[in-house]
Amino acid sequence: MPKTVLLTGASGYIAKHIALQLLDAGYDVRGTVRTLARGEEVTDAVRSHLRDAANLESRLTFVALDLSSDDGWDDAMVGADILMHTASPFPLVQPKDEDDLIRPAVDGALRALRAAAKAGIKRVVFTSSTAAISGSSLPPGDSAFDETNWTDPTDPDVSPYSRSKTLAELAAWDFVRDHALDMQLTVVNPGFVLGAPLDRNFGTSVQVIERLLGGKDPMLPNIGFGTVDVRDVAEMHVAAIDNPQAFGQRIMTVDTFLSFQDIAFAVKAAHPDRKIATRVAPDFLIKILGRFDPAIKSIIPSLGRVDKIDNQRAIGTLGRGMRQARKSAAETATYLINQKVA
């Protein structure tokens, strides 16, 4: 019989791609969603992309669960062979109270891991972020960020999002060390994720491209991210399942560092008819605006920063190079235009 993967947060942008890859690889998927109506959304999103959609209703099923409640978690784990925990909030604007991000991220991770351990599930793939690796400055003497680096959650310049991802991942590693030594944990740390969504219900990172296409901003902030294609992130989760070299490892899944300007140029090259800002705002202007806008204030520590990234572990796990992030940005824009979203 096919192995069953319990996929948390199944209605997310990345998670839908993971569900597609799992189904194509022969796994059964039991997705967790806040309401079962979101399960219909996921089924509709993956159906047309599957190599074989036969018996999809029996291969892709859903349970309604909440990260903030214990209700239903034990029952959801029954019969599952693998836990894939992707559920975690990713806001476009940082919240006023950082606990609004940190509490559900940490508590949700521990809730899923406790239920998996109770059910005897040994294999766990956990979605973290490069925010848990490169949220702080590169330590002196290091030439590039890799999986040995950790964001310092006590650093006052670290964003609430980076702090939430770091604390949630630390909680996962601590849980396995202290309470589930026989659990084989792999953590996937994707960067800024781009690439065509499977449907019109997409994530925060795609909204950045939507905003670029909308021409709402006359200039761009001088910031950037380690960027990756959503398909590479999904494939990494699946590839890690049966790869013993991935057990007990973090895998930073990134192609390259792209500034907002790099992304804008990639989108502009693919769609020269669109009015897309490519000028970079002076740092002093961003700092002034940050006095009045908390969302802008949160990016000030990242102004001018260019992160070097060592992605050799990711390449080794996939057995190939990463998809080009610039092309992913352009493909995201093309999807949004074709869907008349932007």
Side-chain angles (χ1 to χ4, degrees):
M1 290 182 60
K3 289 183 178 180
T4 297
V5 178
L6 183 74
L7 176 65
T8 70
S11 61
Y13 163 53
I14 297 173
K16 285 172 182 168
H17 275 273
I18 294 174
L20 172 63
Q21 296 292 340
L22 286 168
L23 291 164
D24 273 344
Y27 294 94
D28 288 343
V29 177
R30 183 182 304 155
T32 78
V33 286
R34 287 190 178 182
T35 65
L36 291 179
R38 297 300 301 271
E40 296 176 13
E41 171 194 315
V42 178
T43 301
D44 291 342
V46 303
R47 189 188 302 274
S48 63
H49 299 275
L50 283 166
R51 288 198 291 263
D52 180 3
N55 303 315
L56 181 57
E57 284 69 20
S58 62
R59 297 164 54 209
L60 176 61
T61 58
F62 299 93
V63 292
L65 292 178
D66 190 324
L67 285 177
S68 63
S69 171
D70 289 331
D71 294 346
W73 282 92
D74 289 347
D75 290 341
M77 296 287 173
V78 174
D81 302 288
I82 300 147
L83 168 64
M84 205 163 275
H85 181 62
T86 75
S88 187
F90 178 22
L92 189 61
V93 178
Q94 301 293 331
K96 291 182 179 179
D97 184 353
E98 65 178 23
D99 280 344
D100 291 343
L101 268 179
I102 294 171
R103 189 179 299 112
V106 175
D107 291 352
L110 291 176
R111 187 163 281 115
L113 288 169
R114 282 195 294 264
K118 186 176 179 180
I121 294 174
K122 300 293 192 294
R123 189 72 183 104
V124 177
V125 182
F126 183 99
T127 312
S128 182
S129 169
T130 54
I133 292 175
S134 59
S136 305
S137 298
L138 189 67
D142 287 1
S143 59
F145 283 103
D146 63 22
E147 289 83 358
T148 64
N149 296 115
W150 280 90
T151 294
D152 178 4
T154 67
D155 184 340
D157 287 336
V158 169
S159 71
Y161 174 71
S162 295
R163 191 171 288 114
S164 75
K165 299 304 289 187
T166 304
L167 293 174
E169 186 185 338
L170 285 168
W173 287 115
D174 289 347
F175 177 86
V176 171
R177 182 195 64 209
D178 297 337
H179 303 288
L181 285 173
D182 57 347
M183 186 175 278
Q184 299 163 334
L185 175 65
T186 297
V187 173
V188 178
N189 300 80
F192 185 65
V193 183
L194 294 175
L198 296 185
D199 65 1
R200 293 166 63 94
N201 300 295
F202 44 77
T204 304
S205 57
V206 175
Q207 292 174 21
V208 171
I209 305 298
E210 184 182 16
R211 189 177 180 95
L212 273 176
L213 289 170
K216 296 178 180 179
D217 304 303
M219 290 186 288
L220 306 171
N222 184 25
I223 63 170
F225 309 96
T227 308
V228 64
D229 190 285
V230 65
R231 291 165 294 181
D232 284 340
V233 178
E235 288 178 29
M236 185 65 72
H237 283 75
V238 180
I241 291 174
D242 291 323
N243 185 342
Q245 293 183 340
F247 298 175
Q249 299 289 339
R250 312 169 85 197
I251 306 175
M252 186 166 57
T253 308
V254 173
D255 171 44
T256 190
F257 183 91
L258 293 182
S259 68
F260 268 29
Q261 187 182 48
D262 292 330
I263 293 171
F265 277 134
V267 173
K268 182 70 173 176
H271 301 283
D273 57 317
R274 302 295 292 235
K275 185 179 179 181
I276 296 170
T278 56
R279 292 175 58 202
V280 175
D283 289 352
F284 77 84
L285 178 59
I286 298 297
K287 292 176 181 177
I288 292 172
L289 294 173
R291 297 176 184 174
F292 310 99
D293 188 330
I296 295 176
K297 183 179 180 180
S298 68
I299 69 171
I300 289 175
S302 300
L303 290 172
R305 190 174 136 176
V306 178
D307 294 337
K308 294 183 178 180
I309 297 162
D310 182 349
N311 63 356
Q312 289 307 300
R313 183 175 292 174
I315 290 173
T317 304
L318 286 180
R320 58 167 176 79
M322 312 297 284
R323 291 177 172 89
Q324 295 181 8
R326 284 179 173 81
K327 187 175 180 180
S328 303
E331 290 175 347
T332 308
T334 299
Y335 173 88
L336 293 174
I337 291 170
N338 289 343
Q339 293 294 316
K340 303 187 185 309
V341 176

